């Protein structure tokens, strides 16, 4: 290779699997050294296939891939000796410790014994894992697992580092740490490919290859794409009616390309030469102002817009009376100890009917523990949890019949078909006879399962797996819906579809408790509890939490800014 040559050349590549449409359809592009190149697109876009072609683990059906001057078909071993690869699925051994994983990968990579102590010490310092060398990999938080995966990929310093969705399921602080680590690597001239479905990550890359359904939609710098929607992105504030109702109304406007809730305001992407509509309730005109476009705005625009504002699921939901109703979900001093470790410490909040409440926090902070106690899946050490008025200690069965639960990891039965999963969960929730048949038929129509009923759940693409999990959770029309990172790893269009359903259900009086690592999703919540080291360190609406960290240097903080600042503030108080 010459000094200025691209690290990767992709020339008119096609890759097919069986009779399905091409996973990659005539893709061409280049990846340079000393830069982070984003391989961006939704689930099923072809990102993982393209990365595996770069590693030499697959060969193209047509076209050519050249990596570091080597052809991937004829010189795969030379390529594999010179690159680092971190696969999408956690590729380490969960029953081995951090140190044992490093030892194993050092053997696999042929790292000389004399270099190991210094290399291990450098990588453990780099990833801040020195304190955890004896901990089993399976016991690490999501962010720590990704850091260990990165360390193993860097044991023999590569010229090219391939990272397949390293940010999935990782909290904002851990994601920021990963970015800093990878940016430092590029300063040494290492080329980095960062695959992602998170469009805020794409925005941070030096250049991107944007894929959808196997086709290359765009290649270039992120700002080149965002400039396409400049002056077409609006922030609408001063809305006097419910913001969820207002968003649904805006999304029904043919001139609105996309819309999301942003705190008390609504963010809209409009078609060229159009403006958002007038009064939201016939009496007060909302304030409208253009705002800085995001990569996600441009991507949704390129795909032709979001899914719209109507939820067929919500339209069929039997409404719950909201007026004068008691809180549907209550936590009073909830505490959970595992031995001498306190995972959740006196967590207290209540959620009125027809509201969305968010539990946010870093990996391992205690969110899932709190969540599972309120679902009746974990018994509290102390305190009380209630759902729909039923105490989770004394009346757990009655409480569970009032709630729907969608787990963080795909929790349905992979070896059962779509139809069998729907039938099984309908039975679990006490449905039978005509009611059971009608609800299954309704879910099949709403979520488009008709052609998939005989397919095994494990073979569904991620977006369809999540649709099936949501369908199973709402079969019995629950009063409370528990959603544990419901859209982790799914594409932006599917995420919007989910939130259209959730917003619609809440308007019918369903109460939602949600955990998420997407800070833009946190904006949909009416209130948020930020959990850190087992305690609630902040409680309020998204705008209230952002206001807490606003300053002259940061006059208009994002939800991610608030998340990081509040956690850092809590650490500073503990250290004082």
């Amino acid at each position: 290779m010459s000094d200025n040559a691209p690290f990767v050349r992709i020339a008119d590549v096609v890759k097919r699997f069986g009779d399905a449409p091409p996973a990659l359809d005539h893709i061409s592009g280049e990846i340079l050294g000393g830069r982070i190149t984003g391989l961006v697109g939704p689930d099923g876009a072809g990102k993982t296939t393209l990365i595996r072609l770069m590693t030499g683990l697959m060969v193209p059906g047509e076209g050519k891939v050249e990596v570091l001057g080597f052809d991937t078909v004829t010189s795969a071993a030379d390529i594999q000796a010179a690159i680092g690869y971190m696969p999408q699925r956690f590729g380490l051994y969960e029953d081995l410790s951090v140190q044992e994983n490093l030892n194993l990968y050092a053997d696999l990579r042929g790292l000389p014994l004399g270099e190991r102590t210094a290399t291990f010490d450098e990588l453990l310092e780099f990833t801040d894992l020195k304190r955890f060398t004896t901990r089993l990999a399976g016991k690490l938080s999501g962010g720590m697992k990704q850091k260990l995966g990165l360390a193993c990929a860097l044991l023999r310093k590569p010229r090219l580092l391939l990272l397949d969705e390293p940010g999935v399921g990782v909290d904002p602080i851990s994601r920021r740490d990963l970015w800093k680590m990878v940016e430092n690597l590029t300063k040494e001239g290492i080329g980095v490919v960062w695959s992602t479905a998170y469009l805020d990550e794409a925005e941070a890359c030096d250049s991107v290859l944007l894929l959808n359904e196997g086709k290359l939609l765009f290649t270039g710098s992120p700002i080149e794409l965002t400039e396409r929607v400049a002056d077409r992105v609006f922030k609408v504030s001063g809305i006097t009616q419910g913001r969820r109702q207002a968003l649904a109304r805006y999304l029904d406007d043919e001139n609105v390309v996309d819309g999301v809730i942003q705190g008390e305001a609504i963010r809209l992407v409009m078609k060229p030469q159009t403006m958002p509509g007038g009064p939201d309730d016939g009496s007060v005109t909302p304030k409208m102002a253009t705002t800085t476009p995001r990569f996600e705005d441009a991507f949704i625009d390129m795909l032709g817009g979001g899914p719209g504002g109507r939820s067929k699921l919500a339209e069929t939901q039997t409404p719950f009376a909201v007026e004068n109703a008691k809180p549907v979900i209550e936590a009073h001093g909830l505490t959970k100890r595992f031995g001498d470790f306190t995972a959740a410490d006196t967590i207290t909040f209540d959620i009125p009917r027809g509201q969305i409440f968010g539990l946010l926090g870093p990996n391992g902070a205690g969110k899932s523990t709190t969540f599972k106690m309120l679902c009746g899946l974990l018994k509290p050490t102390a305190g009380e949890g209630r759902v729909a008025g039923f105490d989770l200690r004394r009346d757990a069965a009655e409480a569970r019949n009032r709630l729907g639960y969608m787990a963080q990891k795909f929790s349905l039965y992979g070896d059962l078909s779509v139809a069998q999963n729907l039938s099984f969960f309908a039975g679990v929730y006490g449905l039978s006879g005509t009611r059971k048949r009608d609800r299954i038929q309704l879910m099949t129509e709403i979520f488009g399962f008709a052609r998939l009923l005989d397919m095994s759940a494990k073979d569904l693409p991620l977006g369809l797996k999540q649709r099936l999990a949501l369908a199973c959770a709402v079969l019995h029309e629950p009063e409370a819906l528990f959603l544990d990172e419901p859209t982790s790893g799914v594409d932006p269009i599917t995420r919007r579809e989910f939130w259209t359903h959730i917003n619609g259900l809440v308007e019918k009086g369903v109460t939602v408790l949600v955990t998420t690592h997407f800070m833009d999703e946190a904006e949909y919540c009416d209130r948020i509890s930020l959990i850190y080291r087992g305690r609630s360190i902040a409680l309020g609406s998204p705008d209230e939490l952002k206001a807490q960290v606003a300053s002259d240097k940061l006059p208009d903080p994002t939800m991610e800014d608030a998340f990081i600042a509040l956690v850092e503030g809590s650490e500073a108080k503990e250290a004082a």
Side-chain angles (χ1 to χ4, degrees):
M1 291 178 59
S2 66
D3 289 342
N4 297 321
F7 277 27
V8 180
R9 286 191 176 96
I10 304 159
D12 204 29
V13 164
V14 177
K15 182 65 180 178
R16 290 184 174 85
F17 297 97
D19 296 328
L24 295 170
D25 191 357
H26 297 282
I27 303 297
S28 297
E30 294 183 343
I31 292 164
L32 305 179
R35 295 163 62 88
I36 300 177
T37 300
L39 196 54
V40 182
D43 179 52
K47 304 187 299 296
T48 295
T49 300
L50 187 52
I51 282 183
R52 288 180 178 170
L53 289 176
M54 293 183 210
T55 66
L57 295 172
M58 291 180 180
V59 296
E62 299 174 29
K64 183 177 181 180
V65 181
E66 195 176 83
V67 177
L68 301 172
F70 297 106
D71 187 289
T72 56
V73 176
T74 59
S75 305
D78 294 306
I79 292 168
Q80 290 158 9
I83 66 171
Y85 172 46
M86 184 173 157
Q88 183 176 357
R89 307 270 178 238
F90 183 55
L92 307 180
Y93 292 85
E94 299 208 354
D95 53 352
L96 296 183
S97 69
V98 168
Q99 186 61 59
E100 287 167 340
N101 269 287
L102 287 171
N103 293 340
L104 175 62
Y105 273 80
D107 290 340
L108 294 173
R109 299 289 290 178
L111 185 67
L113 291 173
E115 297 178 16
R116 294 193 182 190
T117 300
T119 300
F120 290 164
D121 191 63
E122 180 185 356
L123 288 171
L124 290 168
E125 185 76 34
F126 179 59
T127 56
D128 195 27
L129 289 174
K130 257 187 180 173
R131 297 165 291 160
F132 307 104
T133 53
T134 60
R135 184 175 294 185
L136 294 181
K139 300 294 184 183
L140 297 175
S141 70
M144 292 165 69
K145 284 180 177 178
Q146 297 299 70
K147 289 177 184 179
L148 177 56
L150 183 59
C152 290
L154 295 173
L155 279 165
R156 296 293 293 265
K157 190 155 284 184
R159 296 186 63 193
L160 176 68
L161 179 62
L162 305 173
L163 306 174
D164 197 357
E165 302 210 15
V168 169
V170 176
D171 66 78
I173 293 176
S174 297
R175 283 172 64 198
R176 183 184 63 173
D177 290 346
L178 281 169
W179 271 101
K180 285 181 180 176
M181 292 174 195
V182 172
E183 284 172 344
N184 287 334
L185 294 172
T186 62
K187 293 174 185 175
E188 302 177 35
I190 295 172
V192 176
V193 175
W194 183 297
S195 164
T196 184
Y198 293 126
L199 299 185
D200 58 333
E201 287 186 347
E203 204 158 14
C205 296
D206 297 301
S207 61
V208 297
L209 279 72
L210 182 57
L211 300 173
N212 189 56
E213 296 181 348
K215 293 182 168 55
L216 182 66
L217 301 184
F218 172 82
T219 182
S221 69
I223 196 168
E224 289 177 50
L225 189 66
T226 56
E227 283 176 347
R228 298 185 182 189
V229 292
D231 301 322
R232 290 169 47 199
V233 184
F234 293 83
K235 190 173 182 179
V236 184
S237 57
I239 297 165
T240 57
Q241 69 180 58
R243 57 192 178 145
R244 283 183 274 269
Q245 292 177 337
L247 175 62
R249 185 184 66 80
Y250 277 120
L251 290 174
D252 283 339
D253 184 338
E254 63 179 10
N255 290 319
V256 174
V257 175
D258 185 35
V260 295
I261 287 173
Q262 198 167 26
E264 294 301 317
I266 291 175
R267 181 187 187 89
L268 299 175
V269 181
M270 304 298 299
K271 288 183 178 178
Q273 285 83 51
T274 64
M275 288 279 291
D280 64 313
D281 62 358
S283 61
V284 177
T285 302
K287 298 175 185 175
M288 301 178 192
T290 56
T291 190
T292 305
R294 302 183 301 203
F295 189 90
E296 185 159 332
D297 300 326
F299 179 53
I300 299 295
D301 179 66
M302 179 173 281
L303 292 182
R310 289 184 60 226
S311 166
K312 292 181 181 178
L313 177 63
E315 288 170 358
T316 64
Q317 171 71 38
T318 303
F320 295 102
V322 176
E323 295 79 11
N324 303 317
K326 293 180 180 179
V328 175
I329 301 172
E330 302 171 74
H332 301 293
L334 278 182
T335 300
K336 183 64 181 177
R337 299 186 188 94
F338 298 95
D340 58 359
F341 173 67
T342 302
D345 189 1
T346 59
I347 303 294
T348 298
F349 57 81
D350 59 59
I351 312 174
R353 188 178 298 285
Q355 285 197 9
I356 302 174
F357 190 93
L359 285 179
L360 304 187
N363 295 107
K367 302 186 306 296
S368 290
T369 300
T370 302
F371 195 88
K372 288 176 181 176
M373 283 191 285
L374 286 167
C375 289
L377 298 174
L378 269 181
K379 186 177 181 180
T381 306
E384 179 186 68
R386 300 177 73 87
V387 174
F390 292 100
D391 187 291
L392 287 163
R393 285 180 184 271
R394 297 190 302 270
D395 308 306
E398 289 86 348
R400 280 196 290 267
N401 285 337
R402 302 300 198 283
L403 65 87
Y405 174 55
M406 185 173 165
Q408 182 176 355
K409 297 201 175 357
F410 183 59
S411 60
L412 306 184
Y413 292 89
D415 290 330
L416 297 184
S417 68
V418 170
Q420 288 168 334
N421 269 288
L422 288 168
S423 179
F424 174 77
F425 279 90
V428 165
Y429 286 126
L431 302 183
S432 60
T434 303
R435 170 76 170 157
K436 178 180 177 179
R437 287 194 300 275
D438 289 348
R439 290 297 293 175
I440 290 175
Q441 179 60 33
L442 186 62
M443 294 303 114
T444 300
E445 292 172 4
I446 289 171
F447 291 99
F449 295 146
R451 293 180 297 120
L452 307 167
L453 289 172
D454 294 329
M455 183 181 289
S456 293
K458 68 176 183 294
D459 296 327
L460 295 172
L462 179 59
L464 283 170
K465 281 182 179 177
Q466 297 300 79
R467 285 191 183 101
L468 177 57
L470 179 61
C472 289
V474 299
L475 272 165
H476 59 305
E477 295 190 284
E479 290 183 55
L481 194 54
F482 286 70
L483 306 172
D484 197 1
E485 297 188 30
T487 61
S488 182
V490 303
D491 63 89
I493 298 293
T494 302
R495 285 175 58 205
R496 279 158 173 74
E497 178 191 325
F498 261 65
W499 280 99
T500 296
H501 291 315
I502 294 165
N503 286 331
L505 290 171
V506 168
E507 286 298 305
K508 291 293 189 78
V510 176
T511 304
V512 174
L513 179 65
V514 63
T515 71
T516 180
H517 285 317
F518 286 100
M519 293 298 100
D520 57 334
E521 286 189 352
E523 300 272 16
Y524 284 93
C525 298
D526 295 287
R527 286 188 305 148
I528 289 167
S529 178
L530 180 55
I531 309 290
Y532 184 55
R533 293 180 178 171
R535 295 183 297 105
S536 176
I537 62 171
L539 178 65
S541 71
D543 284 352
E544 287 169 347
L545 298 191
K546 287 184 284 186
Q548 286 185 37
V549 305
S551 64
D552 292 339
K553 290 183 179 178
L554 194 65
D556 188 22
T558 65
M559 197 62 225
E560 182 163 324
D561 294 330
F563 180 105
I564 293 170
L566 289 166
V567 168
E568 290 177 343
S570 176
E571 286 182 333
K573 283 181 184 177
E574 287 187 12

